[in-house]
Amino acid sequence: MEKEIFDLYNKDKYIESLGEYENRTINNIKRTIKQAAEYEKLKQKCLYDWNIEEICTYYKTLNSASISYLRSVNSILSQYTMWCLRNGIVKDSLNHFKEITLEMYKNCINNQRVKSQIIKRNDLISNIDVLLSNPSDKFLMLAIFEGLKGSNFDELTNLNTDSFFKKDSILYVKTNNRITEISEKLYNYAIEASERYTYDGLGELGSQQNGKAIKLCDNIGISIIKDYTNVKSQDDFRRGRRIYVRFKKLCERFELSGKMNVKDLYESGRIDYITKIANAKGISKKEVLKNESELIYKKYTEKYNYPEYVMKYADYLTD
C-alpha cells in the first residue's frame, strides 16, 4: 500500500534521471519531494495526482512566509510531474502544478509570519542599545538593516576605519565592490567597535570565556568586526561564516530565533529605505518600488520581483 501511495519506484527512477545535476541540486529535489510524503499519506494519493485545491492546501501546511520559496517547491514538484506525464503515470494526464497562479501563492503564505519578521528602524535601535553590550554586535545588526551584507558577508569582513568617509556632510562606507551612504548611528557604532579589543558577549545573558572578556585581534588595520585571538583561519569565507553564526546568536538574544533571519532584517531595512524615498519624493511606496529600482539597488543590491514583493509586504507598502 505504501508503494502505491508514495510510488517510491518512480521517484527513485526520476532521481536517477537527474544524473547531470550537481549533488546539491539533487539533494534539494529529494528533500522537496520527500517533504510531501505526509500530505500524500493524508490524501492517499501520489503528489502528481493532486488537484489544484490539494496543491494549495499542501502549500499552506508548509507555513511559509515566502512566495519565492513556494514557487521553488512548485517548480520541483511540477518537473517531477512532467516526468511522470511523459511516462504515462498521471491519472488525468494533467500537470496541475503548472496552473498555480501568483494570487494562489499569495493565499498560501502565512501573513502573520511576514508581520513578525519585519522590524522598524526605531524598534531595532532601541533593542540594540538596551540588549547588546558589544559595539561590533550593534554594528552588525544595523549594518545588515542598512543593506551591508554582500555574498557570505564579504561587505563586512574587511571593514576598517579607513573604509568610512564623509562628503558634502553625508557619511559613506567603501566596501569591496561599492560605495554606499550610511547613517550617523551606524558610523558611531563602527568607530566604537574599532576601539574595542575585548568581546563582552551578549550582556548578562551572553557567554564569556572563563568569566572574563574575550580578547580580540586585528589583522586588517583598525577593523570593525574583529576575530578572537585564538582563531587560526582568517580567510574571508570562514570570517563570513563566523559573522553569520554571531548573527544567529544575536537573534536568540532578541528572542527572534526561528522568527527572523538575515534576509528578514535586510528586507526590514529596504522597506524603511523605500518609505524614506516615498516621503522625500511625495509618491507612494509602490511607485518607488516599481519606478526607482535603480536607486534602491544602489543601497540594497539583492534583486526583487515587483509583483511578489508587493504581495508579500503589502501591509508595509500601503500609504
Side-chain angles (χ1 to χ4, degrees):
M1 184 65 176
E2 185 178 67
K3 186 172 182 179
E4 179 184 343
I5 296 171
F6 303 121
D7 200 355
L8 300 178
Y9 173 79
N10 280 305
K11 286 178 180 175
D12 288 343
K13 294 294 287 183
Y14 173 65
I15 296 301
E16 287 177 13
S17 74
L18 304 176
E20 73 275 12
Y21 287 86
E22 293 182 358
N23 287 337
R24 184 171 57 181
T25 301
I26 292 177
N27 288 337
N28 184 41
I29 292 170
K30 284 181 180 178
R31 186 168 52 250
T32 302
I33 292 176
K34 184 178 180 180
Q35 184 178 235
E38 283 298 316
Y39 193 69
E40 284 182 310
K41 184 177 180 181
L42 177 67
K43 303 307 295 184
Q44 295 287 294
K45 63 169 72 172
C46 296
L47 67 90
Y48 51 68
D49 283 326
W50 290 351
N51 58 38
I52 293 177
E53 182 180 352
E54 288 166 337
I55 292 170
C56 289
T57 301
Y58 171 63
Y59 289 163
K60 289 178 182 178
T61 69
L62 298 180
N63 196 32
S64 174
S66 169
I67 291 175
S68 296
Y69 170 72
L70 293 183
R71 272 189 158 171
S72 175
V73 171
N74 193 77
S75 176
I76 290 171
L77 300 186
S78 177
Q79 289 174 40
Y80 170 55
T81 301
M82 284 301 299
W83 182 89
C84 292
L85 273 170
R86 289 194 295 269
N87 287 275
I89 302 168
V90 183
K91 290 179 180 178
D92 66 1
S93 299
L94 294 172
N95 182 356
H96 294 293
F97 291 96
K98 283 194 168 185
E99 301 170 36
I100 304 300
T101 66
L102 190 58
E103 190 65 29
M104 291 176 187
Y105 288 124
K106 179 184 177 183
N107 292 330
C108 292
I109 64 172
N110 185 335
N111 288 304
Q112 287 304 118
R113 282 197 64 197
V114 175
K115 291 178 181 178
S116 69
Q117 291 168 329
I118 298 300
I119 187 168
K120 294 182 178 179
R121 181 184 179 87
N122 289 341
D123 292 337
L124 176 65
I125 291 175
S126 295
N127 285 321
I128 284 173
D129 287 337
V130 171
L131 297 175
L132 303 182
S133 62
N134 195 66
S136 65
D137 289 340
K138 297 178 182 182
F139 174 82
L140 173 59
M141 296 295 284
L142 189 56
I144 295 172
F145 185 90
E146 293 196 10
L148 292 172
K149 185 169 71 69
S151 175
N152 192 40
F153 297 94
D154 63 356
E155 287 194 323
L156 299 175
T157 52
N158 293 313
L159 290 181
N160 57 42
T161 50
D162 291 335
S163 304
F164 301 88
F165 65 94
K166 181 179 283 190
K167 182 178 180 181
D168 297 328
S169 301
I170 299 175
L171 286 163
Y172 295 92
V173 62
K174 182 178 181 180
T175 67
N176 296 344
N177 303 312
R178 63 185 178 126
I179 295 174
T180 186
E181 183 180 344
I182 61 168
S183 68
E184 185 174 358
K185 188 73 171 178
L186 183 62
Y187 175 74
N188 290 339
Y189 286 153
I191 296 305
E192 188 180 354
S194 73
E195 296 170 349
R196 284 282 297 272
Y197 286 84
T198 57
Y199 187 81
D200 297 328
L202 302 177
E204 293 180 359
L205 299 182
S207 61
Q208 294 183 347
Q209 184 179 2
N210 299 323
K212 299 179 181 179
I214 304 168
K215 290 183 179 180
L216 301 173
C217 62
D218 228 336
N219 295 302
I220 54 168
I222 307 176
S223 56
I224 310 304
I225 300 179
K226 302 177 179 69
D227 262 323
Y228 304 140
T229 54
N230 61 350
V231 171
K232 295 180 180 179
S233 176
Q234 297 294 340
D235 65 85
D236 286 351
F237 176 79
R238 286 179 174 80
R239 294 191 74 229
R241 293 304 299 171
R242 288 194 288 274
I243 289 175
Y244 173 69
V245 170
R246 186 191 293 196
F247 173 83
K248 289 184 69 175
K249 291 181 179 179
L250 292 174
C251 281
E252 292 174 5
R253 183 67 179 87
F254 276 82
E255 297 183 348
L256 290 172
S257 182
K259 299 178 183 178
M260 175 175 281
N261 55 35
V262 173
K263 184 169 178 58
D264 298 328
L265 186 56
Y266 184 88
E267 294 302 343
S268 295
R270 173 145 50 188
I271 290 170
D272 178 77
Y273 187 60
I274 289 168
T275 302
K276 288 179 180 177
I277 296 173
N279 292 339
K281 290 181 174 286
I283 58 178
S284 71
K285 298 171 191 175
K286 291 179 182 178
E287 286 179 290
V288 173
L289 196 64
K290 187 174 184 178
N291 301 321
E292 302 290 344
S293 58
E294 288 189 15
L295 182 60
I296 295 171
Y297 287 145
K298 285 181 180 179
K299 189 164 179 64
Y300 294 85
T301 56
E302 290 187 4
K303 302 292 184 181
Y304 59 83
N305 178 283
Y306 174 76
E308 288 185 13
Y309 204 91
V310 170
M311 284 189 172
K312 181 172 183 179
Y313 299 111
D315 289 348
Y316 302 94
L317 299 172
T318 302
D319 297 294

